Structure formats: structure tokens, C-alpha cells
Amino acid sequence: MTLALVAKKYSVAVSPTLQALIDPADPFDPIARQFLPDIAELIESEAERSDPIGDAAHETVPGIVHRHPGRVLFKAVSRCPVYCRFCFRREQIGPGKANALTVQDFARAYEYIAAHPEIEEVILTGGDPFILSPRRAGDITHRLAAISHVKLVRWHTRVPMVDPGRLSDDFIAALLAPGATTWVAIHANHAKEFSAEAKQALARLADAGIPLVSQSVLLKGVNDNGEALAALMRAFLENRVKPYYLHHPDLARGTSHFRVSIEDGLALTRALRAQLSGLAQPSYVLDIPGGFGKVPLDSSHLEKTASGHRVRDFSGNWHDYLG
């Protein structure tokens, strides 16, 4: 009954690919911890928020988040093939959520991007934009590439890891269009996610000439030890994915059981530098609550205070962080 309350509040979906990877005899299975609902999700801390990275404060038209001058987020879909239990958009995405874009919304999004010549990069997110059909994905790619000042189209996805069968030849072709360079950011948090099928999907993207970078979240009980983190970065590199971001977990509601301390995160990333080559080093970052952008944590942007920390945004302003 308690887990039913979790499912009523937050979307739940686990793909057959992930189900096959879960070891039911392992109470600490890193796949189960990421995707199976937990009663701990009903516990909320005072610091947690429904919009922890402040998308709403920078949403200019439906689906477009313009936080930084040269790039925008394009939230093209509001669903995913699976739902991470730590997702920072967990209250906005999933079945029954009223965030799906209409045909008119897509038209306004393209109009907005075209009207702002400073926008050089468009980041497709959601939800997971890799759930789109090849026809719709191709339409987005070509519409964006036709805007003269858009030079980079970046897709953020978990699909190659959690539902690799979706990556048809037609879909991969739909990611490419003359006029703009396509990048794909792959989200994975543990080396166990690299199934044989996932490795094949990553190889097909790389063989198509698409540069791949990684995104991971530092999660308690999943990858918050040196061995697991190093194995994850090795797995990325072995599959032609350049480690890019390691996110400090966001202050999404019901996710405190996933959060590590910033001090522990810094110790882990320092150990990673001592163990692996520069190719394997992601940037350990915090998305400042309230919509102030990402900052690297192993830098002068972070200071310890009596009550927690303070972080400096890209405009030079300081913000208290109590998570």
C-alpha cells in the first residue's frame, strides 16, 4: 500500500532491459535502487523543491528554457521509457502530467529560437526525446538546422542504456541534418547499465559519426564509492562516450536518500583523478537551486560556511546552499 502511494505521486516505469539486469537476490542492486520505487520517496526535507533547478523561472515560451545567452533547453516531450527515482523533473513528467507540447507550442518554440540570433546551441530534453518517432525527431533536427545561427543540436537521453531497441537506423539518421552538428549526451550511473544491447546501441551512434558525451548523477548507494565511479567512467570511454558531467544530486522532493555530501563528492572526484587518465574525468557540478545555472564544485565557486555552503553563479553572485 505504501509503495502504491509512491506510484500515485511519482511516475513509475521499468523497461524489460532494466528488469533483466536487476538481481533480485541483491538488496543493494544499483539498477533496482535507481528505478524501483522506495518508501523513502515519501520523506521530504525542507530544502527540497518541485522545480529544483529553476526551469520555470527561465521558460520563455512553452517548452523553451533560456537560462544562458547562447543556448536553450527544448523540452520536446514530457515522458520517458523509464522513470529515475531521483529525477529533478519528477513532478512535471510522466503519464497524466499536463506538459505535452501542442503543434502550436512547437511552432512558437521554433519562432522563438529563430528570433534570437544569440542562440547557437539547442539542447533537446524532456522527458526523453529519444522516445520520439523517427519522423518527428527528423522534423525537429531539420527545423533547427535550417535556422542559420543554430550550429549545435544536442540530444539528452537514457534510451540507449534502458531501451536500446528503439534506436533504429531510421531514428539515428533522423538525428543528422546539414547545417548543424549533432551531439548526444548519454545518461548512465553505473557500469552495470552497459548491457550487450546498450553497447551495441552506443556503437551504432558512434559509427554514425555522432559525438557522444556522458551525464551521470552522484547517487548514494549506486556510485558513491571509488571503485563504482571509476568503473563507470571506464565503461563510458570503452564505448566511445567522453565523460562530461557528474551532477551533485538535485534537491528534488523525496530524494534525500540519494544525496551525498559535497565533501564526499569532492573526495571521490579527487580519488578519480589519481586513479584514471584525464580522458576519464567528468566535471563535478552543482545546479544552483532557483535557476542560477551549473557551477563546478572543485573550484573557487564553492565556499564552506557555518550552516553548509555557498556557491557562486556564472554572473558572479553568491547563493547559500543548505542541501
Side-chain angles (χ1 to χ4, degrees), residues 255-286:
T255 63
S256 61
H257 55 297
F258 283 113
R259 281 198 290 280
V260 300
S261 70
I262 287 178
E263 285 75 20
D264 285 347
L266 289 170
L268 282 168
T269 54
R270 282 194 290 268
L272 195 66
R273 281 199 297 275
Q275 188 175 1
L276 301 181
S277 76
L279 279 175
Q281 307 303 319
S283 180
Y284 179 38
V285 297
L286 170 73

Side-chain angles (χ1 to χ4, degrees), residues 242-314:
K242 172 67 180 77
Y244 178 39
Y245 274 148
L246 176 64
H247 293 268
H248 191 73
D250 295 307
L251 296 174
R253 285 181 178 150
T255 63
S256 61
H257 55 297
F258 283 113
R259 281 198 290 280
V260 300
S261 70
I262 287 178
E263 285 75 20
D264 285 347
L266 289 170
L268 282 168
T269 54
R270 282 194 290 268
L272 195 66
R273 281 199 297 275
Q275 188 175 1
L276 301 181
S277 76
L279 279 175
Q281 307 303 319
S283 180
Y284 179 38
V285 297
L286 170 73
D287 230 315
I288 302 173
F292 300 100
K294 296 181 185 68
V295 292
L297 287 174
D298 191 2
S299 71
S300 61
H301 291 275
L302 174 73
E303 290 185 355
K304 181 72 175 170
T305 66
S307 58
H309 298 84
R310 66 176 194 151
V311 287
R312 181 169 52 192
D313 65 27
F314 57 88

